[in-house]
């Protein structure tokens, strides 16, 4: 593997040795007791102390993300209890995210929000098309529900909800690193008495790692690479309670696998996503809150690869090139209202209206795949009405929810919620939840959580027609989840632990059914998973912290109908996976962290491949407004693989479907805040 460490900026460490020390609380962070009193909104859409959140919630501050060297959403997944990313760098429909033992391509059982706006697009239901490598360089905090969230957020809030909250600051940052990484980002922010506005931009490019252990059905290449480009833009304007916020994400990946094939120099996939939201929220009131918003979202995916070589079958004039061009549009309006009733109860309610469709769904090729395979001479997009490969059917959704939060006394609290989602094209869904919290004192908290959730069939699931991804079925039912969880939390002066015992029962899983010569999507499976998540933090000394989690699955059983093509989750998912991080503060200007991410064996991999990966981060505060960060992923240069849901073919007479991870990846960044 190529590896070019970013050492040519290290001399900056010697240039700025004179520094003004920053505040101690900014370096060492909140105490464990203070952390439990942090206010989060993701679990109720109202301000709630973390320890009393009626869901199992993980919280990451801006400081946490910087200290741990987390740069992207994909890297963050590895630090969330119950989550494990089986992600490769290019082919998103064959990689997957594990949430509490459930593997799902496109991560479409996870809802991802940026400042409250959905990133999930309705063509796949997941986040692949906006790119899971969204940068967290300007994040303020990240809040995570681990478990069902459909009672507040609807479809895809199935096994988790993540809300990324950004903050634009006056700064500029440059970074270089392995694989010829080049990056620059910066922001400008103005804060007036009533008017504020800001803009933040990021440009990223690397030439990729050289990866071996590949499967090439053409027998042309024995290695590949994963070159990557990304641009990101955010702008906002706020006045008198109104905020207009816009996001743009663009990512392009070259080479590596696409459509389960290798073709360096030809293969690429490019994802674009635009998000806009206009929101009004009333000024801070003690008794009531009102929020209303209008959203627009557009996602585009464009790809190309070689499916067959020149001379294979009818392809006599050139290699058979194939790709897609999809566009997804969504409009959304919502109202949320909450009112404090009789000091002990808070009632919340909301309405939401959605219209979404796929106005562009076309194939690209250098041969007429809808005709007699005549050769075009170059790549042509096949856009005739009869050549659409996804029907442009409009989806309309009307949603209403109601929630009651009650504080009965100093020890007992409860939350009840109910939401109904009415669709024009699939079965309506009603999802309840109930949480009972008992806290006998400041150190001990017990929670009993019950919830239901669902994943609605995506527009692609319903309306695809020979797209190369799926064959749609307009009779699909939503995939449903019934979850029960028992949580115990202990918070001491130097040690805290949270233990969550959960049971998930999933019905109507969607995958391919074989019926003679026909292969189509159908509800063909169910799954029952029982497991435990243990999160903990320990302050060994004033300057040393240990934190981490372990997730263990006691059982993970998938029940599949006959004549199916689904890969059971128990051979895709490790039974145990964990993360442990040590953070050391030599003084107020330095921090050093080392994180160890581990998993047990994955049966579907050819060598079963249990794995331990190490990452590290070093931060040095040069002065009040200047800092250096050194981040190292896969610090031991460990060779390991992630698995694919569908094998690419056979290698050495065995099914092969795995991707080699990048080797050691070092980056050095300099940040100036003005």
């Amino acid at each position: 593997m190529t590896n070019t460490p970013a050492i040519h900026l290290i001399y900056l460490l010697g240039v700025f040795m004179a520094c003004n020390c920053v505040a101690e609380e900014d370096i060492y962070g909140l105490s464990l007791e203070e952390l439990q009193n942090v206010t989060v909104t993701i679990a109720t859409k109202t301000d709630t102390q973390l320890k009393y959140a009626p869901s199992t919630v993980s919280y990451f501050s801006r400081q946490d993300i910087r200290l741990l060297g987390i740069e992207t959403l994909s890297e963050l997944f590895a630090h969330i209890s119950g989550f494990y990313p089986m992600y490769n760098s290019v082919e998103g429909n064959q990689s997957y995210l594990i949430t509490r033992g459930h593997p799902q391509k496109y991560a479409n059982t996870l809802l991802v929000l940026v400042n409250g706006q959905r990133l999930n697009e309705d063509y796949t239901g997941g986040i692949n098309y906006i790119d899971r490598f969204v940068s967290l360089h300007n994040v303020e905090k990240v809040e995570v529900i681990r478990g069902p969230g459909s009672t507040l957020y609807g479809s895809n809030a199935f096994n988790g909800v993540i809300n990324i909250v950004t903050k634009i600051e006056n700064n500029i940052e440059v970074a270089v690193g392995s694989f010829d990484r080049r990056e620059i980002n910066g922001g400008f922010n103005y804060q007036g008495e009533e008017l504020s506005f800001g803009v933040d931009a990021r440009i990223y490019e690397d030439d990729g790692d050289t990866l071996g252990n590949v499967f090439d059905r053409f027998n042309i290449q024995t290695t590949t690479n994963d070159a990557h480009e990304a641009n990101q833009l955010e702008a906002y304007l706020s006045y008198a309670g109104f905020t207009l916020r816009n996001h743009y994400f663009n990512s392009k990946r070259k080479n590596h696998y696409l459509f389960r094939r290798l073709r360096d120099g030809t293969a690429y996939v490019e994802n674009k996503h635009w998000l806009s939201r206009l929101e009004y929220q009333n000024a801070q009131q003690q008794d009531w809150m009102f929020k209303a918003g209008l959203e627009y979202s557009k996602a585009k995916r464009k790809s190309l690869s070689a499916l067959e070589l020149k001379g294979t079958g009818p392809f006599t004039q050139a290699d058979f090139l194939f790709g897609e061009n999809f566009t997804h549009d969504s409009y959304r309006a919502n109202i949320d209202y909450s009112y404090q009733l009789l000091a002990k109860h808070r009632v919340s309610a909301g309405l939401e209206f959605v219209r979404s469709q796929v106005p562009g769904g076309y194939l690209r090729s250098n041969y007429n795949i809808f005709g007699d395979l005549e050769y075009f001479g170059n790549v042509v997009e096949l856009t005739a009405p009869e050549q659409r490969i996804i029907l442009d059917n409009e989806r309309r959704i009307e949603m209403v929810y109601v929630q009651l939060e009650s504080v009965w006394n100093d020890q007992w609290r409860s939350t009840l919620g109910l939401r109904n989602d009415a669709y024009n094209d699939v079965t309506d869904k009603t999802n309840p939840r109930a949480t009972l919290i008992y806290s006998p004192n400041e150190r001990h908290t017990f929670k009993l959580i019950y919830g239901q959730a669902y994943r609605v069939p995506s527009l692609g699931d319903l309306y695809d027609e020979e797209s190369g991804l799926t064959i749609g079925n307009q009779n699909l039912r939503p995939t449903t989840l019934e979850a029960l969880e028992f949580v115990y939390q202990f918070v001491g002066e130097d040690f805290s632990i949270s233990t969550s015992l959960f049971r998930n029962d999933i019905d109507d899983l969607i995958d391919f059914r074989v019926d003679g010569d026909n292969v189509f999507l159908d509800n063909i499976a169910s799954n029952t998973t029982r497991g435990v998540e243990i999160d903990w933090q320990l302050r060994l000394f004033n300057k040393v912290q240990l934190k981490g989690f372990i997730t263990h699955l006691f059982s993970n059983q998938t029940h599949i109908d006959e004549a199916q093509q689904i890969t059971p989750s128990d051979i895709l998912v490790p039974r145990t996976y964990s993360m442990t991080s040590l953070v050391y503060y030599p003084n107020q200007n330095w921090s050093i962290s080392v994180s160890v991410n581990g998993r047990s064996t994955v049966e579907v991999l050819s060598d079963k491949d249990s794995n331990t990966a190490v990452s590290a981060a070093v931060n040095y505060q040069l002065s009040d407004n200047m800092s250096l960060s050194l981040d190292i992923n896969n610090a031991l240069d460990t060779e390991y693989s992630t698995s694919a849901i569908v094998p690419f073919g056979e290698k050495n007479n065995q099914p092969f479907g795995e991707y080699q991870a990048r080797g050691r990846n070092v980056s050095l960044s300099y940040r100036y805040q003005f």
Side-chain angles (χ1 to χ4, degrees), residues 142-161:
V142 179
E143 299 176 0
V144 184
I145 291 176
R146 293 155 27 212
S150 288
T151 305
L152 286 179
Y153 298 100
S155 180
N156 307 109
F158 187 87
N159 241 342
V161 183

Side-chain angles (χ1 to χ4, degrees), residues 152 185 258 282 387 389 421 452 456 492 509 574 600 625-626:
L152 286 179
N185 62 69
L258 188 60
N282 66 301
Q387 295 172 335
I389 45 77
D421 295 64
Q452 295 182 11
V456 72
L509 281 166
S600 60
N625 56 358
M626 290 186 290

Side-chain angles (χ1 to χ4, degrees), residues 42-45 54-55 111 118 145 147-161 336 348-352 399-404 415-421 429-435 449-454 481-483:
I42 195 169
T44 58
K45 292 192 176 181
S55 301
L111 178 62
R118 292 174 69 103
I145 291 176
S150 288
T151 305
L152 286 179
Y153 298 100
S155 180
N156 307 109
F158 187 87
N159 241 342
V161 183
D336 294 292
S348 303
L351 300 171
E352 198 167 348
M399 315 173 194
V400 58
Y401 78 87
V402 62
Q403 174 181 261
L404 175 64
T415 299
L416 300 173
L418 188 70
R419 173 169 171 143
N420 178 261
D421 295 64
K429 287 301 300 174
T430 299
N431 291 280
R433 77 159 172 176
T435 300
I449 304 171
Y450 171 82
Q452 295 182 11
Y454 74 106
L481 166 68
E482 186 173 32

Side-chain angles (χ1 to χ4, degrees), residues 283-468:
Q284 187 68 37
Q285 301 288 334
Q286 185 174 0
D287 294 334
W288 63 281
M289 180 276 291
F290 174 81
K291 183 188 295 184
L294 297 172
E295 296 181 5
Y296 171 68
S297 172
K298 177 186 282 290
K300 294 179 72 73
R301 171 183 165 121
K302 195 172 184 178
S303 61
L304 188 70
S305 190
L307 295 192
E308 296 290 349
L309 295 181
K310 177 181 178 180
T312 305
F315 308 114
T316 58
Q317 295 180 274
D319 296 344
F320 170 38
L321 304 183
F322 174 87
E324 307 158 329
N325 192 353
F326 290 106
T327 301
H328 163 256
D329 285 326
S330 177
Y331 299 87
R332 184 178 298 263
N334 73 286
I335 296 173
D336 294 292
Y337 177 80
S338 70
Y339 181 73
Q340 189 71 37
L341 182 67
L342 301 176
K344 292 183 177 295
H345 308 281
R346 191 170 190 93
V347 178
S348 303
L351 300 171
E352 198 167 348
F353 305 92
V354 177
R355 183 187 71 79
S356 61
Q357 62 186 139
V358 182
Y362 307 109
L363 297 183
R364 309 168 65 225
S365 181
N366 56 343
Y367 286 88
N368 186 359
I369 55 181
F370 291 102
D372 295 325
L373 292 176
E374 61 265 31
Y375 179 57
F376 290 138
N378 60 314
V379 175
V380 173
E381 191 161 304
L382 303 166
T383 59
E386 65 273 12
Q387 295 172 335
R388 287 191 62 96
I389 45 77
I390 177 170
L391 301 177
D392 186 16
N393 287 14
E394 182 179 278
R395 166 167 286 174
R396 298 183 301 278
I397 318 172
E398 298 175 356
M399 315 173 194
V400 58
Y401 78 87
V402 62
Q403 174 181 261
L404 175 64
E405 302 169 72
S406 300
V407 180
W408 300 104
N409 53 45
D410 290 342
Q411 287 80 40
W412 291 94
R413 298 168 182 250
S414 65
T415 299
L416 300 173
L418 188 70
R419 173 169 171 143
N420 178 261
D421 295 64
Y423 288 79
N424 69 314
D425 55 1
V426 294
T427 306
D428 297 353
K429 287 301 300 174
T430 299
N431 291 280
R433 77 159 172 176
T435 300
L436 182 64
I437 300 175
Y438 173 60
S439 185
N441 53 51
E442 288 296 318
R443 296 203 165 187
H444 303 275
T445 304
F446 301 85
K447 300 180 183 181
L448 183 63
I449 304 171
Y450 171 82
Q452 295 182 11
Y454 74 106
R455 180 184 85 78
V456 72
S458 69
L459 295 177
D461 292 339
L462 296 176
Y463 305 122
D464 261 0
E465 294 190 335
E466 301 290 350
S467 70

Side-chain angles (χ1 to χ4, degrees), residues 28-62:
Y28 300 132
L30 300 175
S31 69
L32 300 183
E33 295 93 337
E34 290 171 333
L35 178 60
Q36 291 301 309
N37 294 324
V38 166
T39 297
V40 295
T41 60
I42 195 169
T44 58
K45 292 192 176 181
T46 60
D47 291 343
T48 307
Q49 287 177 272
L50 180 61
K51 68 180 294 184
Y52 296 130
S55 301
T56 305
V57 173
S58 295
Y59 176 88
F60 297 86
S61 67
R62 174 174 52 177

